[in-house]
Amino acid sequence: MSTDTHIDTNGRKPDYDALVAFLLERYEDDLRWIASFNTDSYRYDVRYIREDLKTELSNHEFDVVVHRSIALFNRPYVEEVYTHLGHACSLVLQHERATAVHVYLSDADGLIIKIRAGNEICVPGFIDECLAALYGAGD
């Protein structure tokens, strides 16, 4: 599923609540936040944010983080940089305090998932599990 250019959703709409529930069950308090985004409009929706981060990150700081992520790590740009490798499915950035996982749902739509550093993220398995939670396991 995660190796396709576009995700085959079989007409299903994303179930962000199911994705949040899946990730909370797996990572509990290590899940920092989840946001869906659209690079064409620079809009994003916070799907989950850990309670303590609501006070640690002001709205302005959160806006800056997400908007920079949208600008720097959008799918068309990543594909342009690594054009010889084919279509981008996801991008994983490991930081000192957290791991950021960018999941590309289309050329313009995607997710950012932040998980506390030290948690193992295996690609492509993690991406496929997130997509299964988001769109259902299929028929």
Side-chain angles (χ1 to χ4, degrees):
M1 188 185 304
S2 65
T3 58
D4 293 334
T5 304
H6 295 280
I7 306 304
D8 182 11
T9 63
N10 292 325
R12 295 181 185 102
K13 294 203 179 279
D15 184 347
Y16 292 104
D17 291 337
L19 176 65
V20 170
F22 164 73
L23 291 169
L24 278 172
E25 183 176 317
R26 175 173 285 181
Y27 295 104
E28 298 175 346
D29 287 340
D30 285 351
L31 181 62
R32 295 174 61 88
W33 56 266
I34 303 168
S36 59
F37 65 85
N38 179 281
T39 57
D40 290 342
S41 65
Y42 266 75
R43 294 200 61 212
Y44 71 89
D45 290 304
V46 176
R47 302 300 177 163
Y48 169 81
I49 185 166
R50 199 174 66 206
E51 197 62 40
D52 63 308
L53 294 177
K54 289 180 183 178
T55 55
E56 182 180 311
L57 292 170
S58 72
N59 282 345
H60 174 71
E61 289 171 320
F62 196 79
D63 281 346
V64 169
V65 168
V66 175
H67 283 125
R68 284 183 181 170
S69 293
I70 290 171
L72 294 173
F73 305 122
N74 68 69
R75 184 181 203 171
Y77 177 73
V78 170
E79 288 179 349
E80 183 181 319
V81 171
Y82 296 109
T83 189
H84 62 288
L85 298 177
H87 297 289
C89 304
S90 63
L91 177 69
V92 179
L93 302 164
Q94 184 177 351
H95 299 270
E96 185 177 333
R97 293 177 37 200
T99 300
V101 182
H102 295 248
V103 181
Y104 302 117
L105 304 176
S106 70
D107 285 342
D109 297 306
L111 297 168
I112 303 169
I113 302 168
K114 288 276 187 130
I115 300 169
R116 184 177 306 187
N119 286 280
E120 189 170 300
I121 305 292
C122 296
V123 176
F126 175 80
I127 306 304
D128 289 339
E129 291 169 341
C130 288
L131 293 173
L134 189 63
Y135 291 106
D139 299 326

